[in-house]
Amino acid sequence: MTVPASAAPALDPHNTAVLTITCPDRGGIVAAVSQFLHNHGANILHSDQHSTDPQGGTFFMRMEFHLSGLDLAREPFERAFATVVAAPFGMTWRVTYTTEPRRMAVLVSKYDHCFLDLLWRKRRGELNVEIPLVISNHEDLRRDAEMFGIPFHVVPVTKDNKAEAEAQQVRLLQEAGAEFAVLARYMQILSGDFLNAFGKPVINIHHSFLPAFVGANPYRAAFQRGVKLIGATSHYVTEELDAGPIIAQDVVPVTHRETPETLMRLGRDVERQVLARAVKAHVEDRVLVHGNKTVVF
Amino acid sequence: MTVPASAAPALDPHNTAVLTITCPDRGGIVAAVSQFLHNHGANILHSDQHSTDPQGGTFFMRMEFHLSGLDLAREPFERAFATVVAAPFGMTWRVTYTTEPRRMAVLVSKYDHCFLDLLWRKRRGELNVEIPLVISNHEDLRRDAEMFGIPFHVVPVTKDNKAEAEAQQVRLLQEAGAEFAVLARYMQILSGDFLNAFGKPVINIHHSFLPAFVGANPYRAAFQRGVKLIGATSHYVTEELDAGPIIAQDVVPVTHRETPETLMRLGRDVERQVLARAVKAHVEDRVLVHGNKTVVF
Amino acid sequence: MTVPASAAPALDPHNTAVLTITCPDRGGIVAAVSQFLHNHGANILHSDQHSTDPQGGTFFMRMEFHLSGLDLAREPFERAFATVVAAPFGMTWRVTYTTEPRRMAVLVSKYDHCFLDLLWRKRRGELNVEIPLVISNHEDLRRDAEMFGIPFHVVPVTKDNKAEAEAQQVRLLQEAGAEFAVLARYMQILSGDFLNAFGKPVINIHHSFLPAFVGANPYRAAFQRGVKLIGATSHYVTEELDAGPIIAQDVVPVTHRETPETLMRLGRDVERQVLARAVKAHVEDRVLVHGNKTVVF
Amino acid sequence: MTVPASAAPALDPHNTAVLTITCPDRGGIVAAVSQFLHNHGANILHSDQHSTDPQGGTFFMRMEFHLSGLDLAREPFERAFATVVAAPFGMTWRVTYTTEPRRMAVLVSKYDHCFLDLLWRKRRGELNVEIPLVISNHEDLRRDAEMFGIPFHVVPVTKDNKAEAEAQQVRLLQEAGAEFAVLARYMQILSGDFLNAFGKPVINIHHSFLPAFVGANPYRAAFQRGVKLIGATSHYVTEELDAGPIIAQDVVPVTHRETPETLMRLGRDVERQVLARAVKAHVEDRVLVHGNKTVVF
């Protein structure tokens, strides 16, 4: 054992902002954005950019900057950016502020590992979020949610009530002001109607290395195929099952000794790591979606 | 998201036993052990063996077998083994039974990540243990322990009371019947007196890739050296600081972007994985110590 | 830089043998085999076993033992084993001797990375093989083969001559006494007729993490799906494309920055590592095939 | 096996340049650089930046841009940058052109794995280098060098002739116009005199996870300590042994089964991967040294 330096530092939300941009690539974008920020006293902390093709491709950018030296309030700053920079370059853009934690809803069923991992990371200050509600189709995880002081709503889902259940879920999400939702091994397929009505990003964790083993029972399928690695994939949910833009993936080696049950156990550790990584990237505005793919800065 | 096969299976403790053996290597050991087990109706489930050198080296073996067909009760079975097999080969050996969970004590300070990870894994059935007590030198983690229904004892440690504090810790461990102890980021160095008085294995997690960065503040040292990987090491505690037999190690890649604080955060995930892996191996009697090294089956 | 201990040791082929067994699981197998070996003076170096299910499953075993103390010559030893042990337990078994390198044929097209890697490893003594011939459908790699002193045969393959070309390949393989063949990025699909006529194991390297991206152009498919890992899979070839028993797999992380071309480059390093691992396991008789899966000891 | 898309693409050296900058951090750097490049028609392909501390720290930047639209020739372009941008910000900077491969010298002794790996990668177009010479203290690898058409010089080194031998090495390097040197398991310690006289970067591969196991015989030391991972570290050479700025590191898991010899064999694969990664980063001007650490873009 060892003597520690000091207690782990709590998350310092800093007084920073993140600007993300997507636009057609052409010369002068970086110059225009960085000149604008410099002119208004915004000190750039990190900058990442990517272009699918410098000739006629799409350009992506993420800039994190300090707000302390800014010479404008948020609203006039954003208005000025819209006019001076965004419009001429045809940008899709947004600014988020680290002092305003993102409002994250969590949907769960009976598995606790991904769920508890997210709650713990939030408590430790690893995820800059508030969790205004948890929705489940089962009672099982109520006590865990309540131990962390988070409202727990049960919305049972059956073949017959699916449409109403989803309508109720959307209502709960909207009342809670959820900015995005995480399916922490939620065991129901969300319909296109749900996705449209909610209208916000939904992040899922699938317990395979997609696109291998789409659909139900991937650990059994992995066992039957005799693969030597099992994996997990976190992606944005789209109408097509397990086919949305991938945010993060990882794998662990396995051997002939595994059974579907031990694959499940090994998989749990990968699932929670991969989901946490994806959620953290989303919360910090590091993920830009482009068609069915992601840029993760 | 996907539709699951079924709920995750609770740990089935099976009705099995594990026999571990260490002895001087010579011909006929495997034959003698497997013949003995077969004669008494023990069906072998898994078998692992290792020899440091077939000529004059040390031989290690782990055999897991079903108890259901055994023609003897435990005590006469062990007596027979001692006489018929162990004595002629000069074996150090033991049998443990999976129906009897190992009694694991946990020592903590303020960090929660390794601690909570162990409690979860026990709850999920990943670790075949009972946790009769937690000892801390601080109050901070009392609520977490109590949420899992585990007695929490605070034994403050200062420069002046170290000897008495350790004596009290040993008393608590012995009263609770602890078979081994885990230092889940416990931030005090245990003396040789403690180790002798307790007389049972103590497992530590050190937050570096040993033997690099022994001692205090390994993340700061890693930052200063500019390494491109950080790691964690779980080992048995000996009198010499961070120098005991290593059970498990792992690393994660890092870049120039990290600060000592982000290294700490990244390190937490490795620490808890490595400690859990080491504790699980110990609990399943997979670890045989040989001098300052381990055989991990 | 550092001062080395000594030159790298050449492979010491030892005077050992490997016995592999597959049979229905029932009590007493380990006892019978190890007793037999002990009785005949064979000192066991390594032993691995696996059972798909102790009740009515299949049992697999690999034992490596020294030949120096053996009291019988090879032939009578094998005859005795067949009668005394193998027959009563209904075993499929074989013994291979490390003093007899396996005869490995290599099939290539134009890519050099897997091919050169195998040649190097053979030269370094990592693979206990002889390479009696290389067959290619192109001239490109002739010089590389010849630098290593290996006969290089070109058998052009077109749509029209496929059957005759394969017949010629089989003839070459048989004349060279090939015990198995490795497709080191050989860019033709082998027919069932070829596999039947050759009648020996054929090992392939597929440039994806199977079962994802079966078939042609996996790097392009991986690029289009936007995966965050790319992989390679080495497997035994069966009539169904990319569906044979998997021996080894591995992956590397990739980001949005990659193009199909850079994926190809990154993939090359994984391909050659995975193929080398699979070939080494096969050569050392560590791979037992069971249905469409492998046990890799 | 699978049908390929097409032959692997040869390296397209593009018509691009890389600008790297180190300077005290203050506002406006990104704006000034990107504005300058934009004004002169340089289309930015990739941009990376890093700051050790936005308040009074050091700022690092790497920009890759197309030369096709540039309105100035190289020399006036660099002169203008020096005056307009570099001087006001106190920058240390350089521009390198991808059409001019870097001149890389390789020093070897007897081990072939890192050496051959570099030669192959150069042949495959993975490394944008020319290799004007190889220097060795032994004859062993002459044939390998000559197969790739590279001049091979033997400079024997003994205790008594070290100073003269190093002087001869420096002369050879300078005559060949070497821009940097790679020690591909070169088994002599280079003196400070050598480093000063050569005056160019020297990249080494050390066969351990530094700072663990500095100096001779790291695999034996790893064996004795019983670590569960072994590693390799590529770093710039400084006067202090194995203590220079680290460029790349990696590890592989090992078990109790390994001997110092098998550790060596497993280590070879890590060594060559890590060295190749470091050399590639250096060649593409992705490595900026800062004190005893590196920024690797």
Side-chain angles (χ1 to χ4, degrees):
Chain A
M1 80 250 73
T2 56
V3 184
S6 65
L11 181 100
D12 175 6
H14 304 299
N15 189 24
T16 68
V18 172
L19 167 68
T20 54
I21 291 167
T22 305
C23 67
D25 197 2
R26 63 179 168 108
I29 302 173
V30 181
V33 175
S34 53
Q35 194 62 60
F36 178 87
L37 291 176
H38 181 55
N39 290 346
H40 289 285
N43 205 349
I44 297 170
L45 286 166
H46 299 294
S47 168
D48 291 287
Q49 56 182 89
H50 175 66
S51 174
T52 58
D53 183 349
Q55 322 227 262
T58 302
F59 179 87
F60 305 89
M61 190 176 219
R62 179 187 185 273
M63 277 201 170
E64 192 171 344
F65 52 95
H66 261 295
L67 290 168
S68 40
L70 210 64
D71 65 357
L72 291 174
R74 288 185 189 182
E75 221 181 296
F77 172 77
E78 294 192 23
R79 252 196 333 262
F81 184 78
T83 313
V84 177
V85 183
F89 285 95
M91 292 174 174
T92 301
W93 63 284
R94 53 181 277 161
V95 183
T96 54
Y97 300 89
T98 46
T99 50
E100 292 173 10
R102 308 290 292 274
R103 296 180 69 78
M104 173 174 92
V106 185
L107 277 76
V108 296
S109 290
K110 295 182 168 183
Y111 290 120
D112 65 353
H113 54 291
C114 289
F115 177 52
L116 286 175
D117 203 61
L118 291 174
L119 298 189
W120 283 355
R121 288 183 195 269
K122 187 244 175 295
R123 184 174 92 176
R124 280 175 210 161
E126 284 186 22
L127 295 174
N128 189 19
V129 295
E130 283 175 12
I131 307 180
L133 86 166
V134 173
I135 301 176
S136 180
N137 52 340
H138 296 284
E139 278 291 340
D140 304 52
L141 299 178
R142 177 180 297 280
R143 195 170 157 258
D144 285 322
E146 291 178 353
M147 283 184 342
F148 285 86
I150 299 170
F152 186 84
H153 303 264
V154 171
V155 181
V157 183
T158 65
K159 261 187 198 166
D160 298 333
N161 81 341
K162 176 133 184 169
E164 298 144 60
E166 288 197 343
Q168 189 187 343
Q169 290 169 335
V170 170
R171 218 160 36 237
L172 286 165
L173 292 169
Q174 287 172 339
E175 283 167 14
E179 292 176 82
F180 71 106
V182 177
L183 310 185
R185 300 296 309 275
Y186 177 64
M187 293 302 169
Q188 295 286 332
I189 296 173
L190 297 180
S191 72
D193 286 347
F194 174 99
L195 297 173
N196 290 330
F198 179 41
K200 303 275 169 62
V202 178
I203 296 173
N204 184 43
I205 179 73
H206 182 74
H207 40 315
S208 85
F209 175 70
L210 289 174
F213 310 128
V214 165
N217 244 336
Y219 291 130
R220 179 154 294 278
F223 173 77
Q224 280 161 352
R225 181 62 186 92
V227 291
K228 302 299 185 188
L229 298 168
I230 57 164
T233 303
S234 188
H235 61 94
Y236 289 113
V237 176
T238 57
E239 274 205 61
E240 191 183 340
L241 184 65
D242 299 330
I246 294 171
I247 309 168
Q249 300 190 289
D250 211 344
V251 294
V252 279
V254 298
T255 75
H256 57 269
R257 292 187 183 271
E258 313 305 339
T259 61
E261 286 68 36
T262 61
L263 292 181
M264 243 184 198
R265 181 175 63 67
L266 291 166
R268 283 201 290 259
D269 279 337
V270 198
E271 290 168 31
R272 61 180 189 161
Q273 294 277 357
V274 169
L275 180 58
R277 213 188 303 157
V279 168
K280 186 169 173 62
H282 177 83
V283 166
E284 297 177 353
D285 250 340
R286 298 182 179 282
V287 191
L288 297 179
V289 173
H290 178 55
N292 202 42
K293 297 164 70 170
T294 61
V295 169
V296 182
F297 285 131
Chain B
M1 83 247 72
T2 56
V3 184
S6 65
L11 181 102
D12 175 5
H14 303 299
N15 188 24
T16 67
V18 172
L19 167 67
T20 52
I21 290 167
T22 306
C23 66
D25 196 2
R26 63 178 168 108
I29 302 173
V30 181
V33 175
S34 53
Q35 194 61 61
F36 177 87
L37 291 177
H38 181 54
N39 289 347
H40 290 285
N43 205 348
I44 298 169
L45 286 166
H46 299 294
S47 169
D48 291 287
Q49 56 182 91
H50 175 66
S51 175
T52 57
D53 184 351
Q55 321 227 261
T58 302
F59 179 86
F60 305 89
M61 189 177 221
R62 179 189 186 273
M63 277 201 170
E64 191 172 344
F65 54 95
H66 260 297
L67 290 167
S68 40
L70 210 64
D71 64 358
L72 291 174
R74 287 185 191 181
E75 220 183 298
F77 172 77
E78 294 191 25
R79 251 198 330 263
F81 183 80
T83 314
V84 177
V85 183
F89 285 95
M91 292 174 174
T92 302
W93 64 283
R94 53 183 277 162
V95 183
T96 55
Y97 300 89
T98 47
T99 50
E100 293 172 10
R102 307 291 292 273
R103 296 179 70 77
M104 171 174 90
V106 185
L107 276 77
V108 295
S109 290
K110 295 182 168 184
Y111 290 120
D112 65 354
H113 55 290
C114 288
F115 177 52
L116 287 175
D117 203 62
L118 291 175
L119 298 189
W120 273 356
R121 289 184 196 268
K122 188 245 176 294
R123 185 173 93 177
R124 281 176 210 159
E126 284 186 21
L127 294 175
N128 189 19
V129 295
E130 283 175 13
I131 307 180
L133 86 164
V134 173
I135 300 176
S136 180
N137 52 338
H138 296 283
E139 277 291 339
D140 304 53
L141 299 177
R142 176 181 294 281
R143 196 170 157 257
D144 285 323
E146 291 177 354
M147 285 184 342
F148 285 88
I150 298 169
F152 186 85
H153 302 265
V154 172
V155 180
V157 183
T158 64
K159 263 189 196 165
D160 298 332
N161 80 342
K162 179 134 183 168
E164 298 143 59
E166 288 198 345
Q168 189 187 344
Q169 291 170 335
V170 170
R171 215 156 41 234
L172 286 166
L173 292 168
Q174 286 172 341
E175 283 167 16
E179 292 177 82
F180 71 108
V182 177
L183 309 185
R185 298 298 310 275
Y186 177 64
M187 292 302 168
Q188 295 286 332
I189 296 174
L190 297 180
S191 71
D193 287 346
F194 176 100
L195 297 173
N196 290 330
F198 180 41
K200 303 276 169 63
V202 178
I203 296 173
N204 184 44
I205 178 73
H206 181 75
H207 40 315
S208 86
F209 174 71
L210 288 175
F213 309 128
V214 166
N217 245 336
Y219 291 129
R220 181 155 292 277
F223 174 75
Q224 280 162 351
R225 181 62 186 93
V227 290
K228 301 300 186 187
L229 299 167
I230 56 163
T233 302
S234 188
H235 62 93
Y236 289 113
V237 176
T238 56
E239 273 205 63
E240 191 182 344
L241 184 65
D242 300 330
I246 294 171
I247 309 169
Q249 301 190 287
D250 211 344
V251 293
V252 279
V254 298
T255 75
H256 58 269
R257 292 186 183 273
E258 312 306 340
T259 61
E261 286 68 36
T262 62
L263 292 181
M264 242 184 199
R265 182 175 62 66
L266 290 165
R268 283 201 290 259
D269 280 338
V270 198
E271 290 168 31
R272 62 180 190 164
Q273 295 277 357
V274 169
L275 180 60
R277 211 187 304 155
V279 169
K280 187 170 171 61
H282 178 84
V283 165
E284 296 177 353
D285 250 339
R286 297 183 179 281
V287 191
L288 297 179
V289 174
H290 178 55
N292 202 43
K293 298 165 69 170
T294 62
V295 170
V296 182
F297 285 130
Chain C
M1 82 250 71
T2 55
V3 183
S6 66
L11 182 100
D12 176 6
H14 304 298
N15 188 25
T16 68
V18 172
L19 167 67
T20 54
I21 292 167
T22 306
C23 67
D25 197 2
R26 63 179 168 107
I29 302 173
V30 181
V33 175
S34 52
Q35 194 61 62
F36 178 87
L37 290 177
H38 181 56
N39 289 346
H40 289 285
N43 204 350
I44 298 170
L45 285 166
H46 299 294
S47 167
D48 291 287
Q49 57 183 90
H50 175 65
S51 174
T52 57
D53 184 350
Q55 322 228 260
T58 302
F59 179 87
F60 305 89
M61 189 177 220
R62 178 187 185 274
M63 276 199 171
E64 191 171 344
F65 53 94
H66 261 297
L67 290 168
S68 39
L70 210 65
D71 65 357
L72 291 174
R74 289 184 189 182
E75 220 181 298
F77 172 77
E78 294 192 24
R79 252 197 331 262
F81 183 80
T83 313
V84 178
V85 184
F89 285 94
M91 292 174 175
T92 301
W93 64 283
R94 53 182 276 162
V95 183
T96 54
Y97 300 89
T98 46
T99 49
E100 292 173 11
R102 308 290 293 272
R103 294 180 71 77
M104 171 174 91
V106 185
L107 277 76
V108 295
S109 290
K110 294 181 169 186
Y111 291 121
D112 64 354
H113 54 290
C114 288
F115 176 52
L116 286 176
D117 203 61
L118 291 174
L119 299 189
W120 275 356
R121 289 183 195 269
K122 187 246 176 293
R123 184 174 92 177
R124 279 177 212 159
E126 284 186 21
L127 295 174
N128 189 19
V129 295
E130 282 174 13
I131 306 180
L133 86 165
V134 172
I135 301 176
S136 180
N137 52 339
H138 296 285
E139 277 291 338
D140 303 53
L141 299 178
R142 176 180 297 279
R143 194 169 158 260
D144 286 322
E146 292 177 353
M147 283 185 342
F148 285 87
I150 299 169
F152 186 84
H153 302 264
V154 172
V155 180
V157 183
T158 64
K159 263 188 197 163
D160 298 332
N161 80 342
K162 177 133 183 169
E164 298 142 60
E166 289 197 344
Q168 189 188 343
Q169 291 169 334
V170 171
R171 215 158 39 235
L172 286 166
L173 292 169
Q174 287 172 340
E175 283 167 15
E179 291 175 83
F180 71 106
V182 176
L183 309 185
R185 299 297 310 276
Y186 177 64
M187 294 302 169
Q188 295 287 332
I189 296 173
L190 297 179
S191 72
D193 286 347
F194 176 100
L195 297 172
N196 290 331
F198 180 40
K200 304 276 168 61
V202 178
I203 297 173
N204 184 43
I205 179 74
H206 182 74
H207 40 315
S208 86
F209 175 70
L210 289 175
F213 310 126
V214 166
N217 244 337
Y219 291 129
R220 179 154 294 277
F223 173 76
Q224 280 161 352
R225 182 62 186 90
V227 291
K228 302 299 186 188
L229 298 168
I230 57 163
T233 303
S234 188
H235 62 94
Y236 289 113
V237 176
T238 57
E239 273 206 61
E240 190 183 342
L241 184 64
D242 299 330
I246 294 171
I247 308 168
Q249 300 190 288
D250 211 343
V251 294
V252 278
V254 298
T255 75
H256 57 269
R257 291 185 184 271
E258 313 305 339
T259 61
E261 285 68 37
T262 61
L263 292 180
M264 241 183 199
R265 181 175 62 67
L266 291 166
R268 282 201 290 258
D269 280 336
V270 197
E271 290 167 31
R272 62 179 189 164
Q273 294 277 356
V274 169
L275 180 58
R277 212 188 304 156
V279 169
K280 186 168 172 63
H282 178 83
V283 166
E284 297 176 354
D285 250 338
R286 299 183 177 282
V287 191
L288 297 179
V289 173
H290 178 55
N292 203 41
K293 297 164 70 170
T294 61
V295 169
V296 182
F297 286 130
Chain D
M1 82 250 70
T2 56
V3 183
S6 65
L11 181 101
D12 174 6
H14 303 300
N15 189 23
T16 68
V18 172
L19 167 66
T20 52
I21 291 168
T22 306
C23 66
D25 197 1
R26 64 179 168 107
I29 302 173
V30 181
V33 174
S34 53
Q35 194 62 61
F36 178 87
L37 291 177
H38 181 54
N39 289 347
H40 290 285
N43 205 349
I44 298 170
L45 286 165
H46 299 293
S47 168
D48 291 288
Q49 56 183 90
H50 175 65
S51 174
T52 56
D53 184 349
Q55 321 227 261
T58 302
F59 179 87
F60 305 89
M61 188 176 221
R62 179 188 185 274
M63 278 200 169
E64 191 171 345
F65 54 94
H66 260 296
L67 290 167
S68 40
L70 210 63
D71 65 357
L72 291 174
R74 288 183 189 183
E75 219 182 298
F77 171 77
E78 295 191 24
R79 249 193 337 259
F81 183 80
T83 313
V84 177
V85 183
F89 285 95
M91 291 174 174
T92 301
W93 63 283
R94 54 183 277 162
V95 184
T96 55
Y97 300 89
T98 46
T99 49
E100 292 173 11
R102 307 291 292 273
R103 296 179 70 79
M104 171 174 92
V106 184
L107 277 76
V108 296
S109 291
K110 294 182 168 183
Y111 290 120
D112 66 353
H113 55 290
C114 288
F115 176 53
L116 286 175
D117 204 60
L118 291 174
L119 298 189
W120 283 356
R121 288 183 196 269
K122 187 247 175 293
R123 185 173 93 177
R124 281 174 209 160
E126 284 186 21
L127 294 175
N128 190 18
V129 295
E130 283 175 12
I131 306 180
L133 85 165
V134 172
I135 300 176
S136 180
N137 52 339
H138 296 283
E139 277 291 339
D140 304 52
L141 300 177
R142 175 181 296 280
R143 196 170 158 257
D144 286 322
E146 291 177 353
M147 283 183 342
F148 285 87
I150 298 170
F152 186 85
H153 302 265
V154 172
V155 180
V157 183
T158 63
K159 263 189 198 165
D160 298 332
N161 80 340
K162 179 132 181 169
E164 297 143 60
E166 289 197 343
Q168 189 187 346
Q169 291 169 334
V170 170
R171 216 158 38 235
L172 286 167
L173 293 169
Q174 286 172 339
E175 283 167 15
E179 291 175 82
F180 71 107
V182 176
L183 309 186
R185 299 296 311 275
Y186 177 63
M187 293 304 170
Q188 294 286 332
I189 296 174
L190 297 180
S191 72
D193 286 346
F194 175 100
L195 298 173
N196 289 330
F198 180 41
K200 303 277 169 61
V202 178
I203 296 173
N204 184 44
I205 179 73
H206 182 75
H207 40 314
S208 86
F209 174 70
L210 289 175
F213 309 129
V214 166
N217 245 336
Y219 290 130
R220 180 155 292 277
F223 173 77
Q224 279 161 352
R225 181 61 185 92
V227 291
K228 301 299 186 187
L229 299 168
I230 56 163
T233 302
S234 188
H235 62 94
Y236 289 113
V237 176
T238 56
E239 274 205 60
E240 191 183 342
L241 185 65
D242 299 330
I246 294 171
I247 309 168
Q249 300 189 288
D250 211 344
V251 294
V252 279
V254 298
T255 74
H256 58 268
R257 292 187 183 272
E258 312 307 339
T259 61
E261 285 68 37
T262 61
L263 292 181
M264 242 184 199
R265 182 174 62 66
L266 291 166
R268 283 200 290 259
D269 280 337
V270 198
E271 291 168 31
R272 61 181 189 162
Q273 295 278 356
V274 169
L275 180 59
R277 211 187 304 155
V279 168
K280 187 170 173 61
H282 177 84
V283 166
E284 296 177 354
D285 249 340
R286 298 183 178 281
V287 191
L288 298 179
V289 174
H290 178 54
N292 203 43
K293 296 165 69 170
T294 62
V295 170
V296 182
F297 285 130

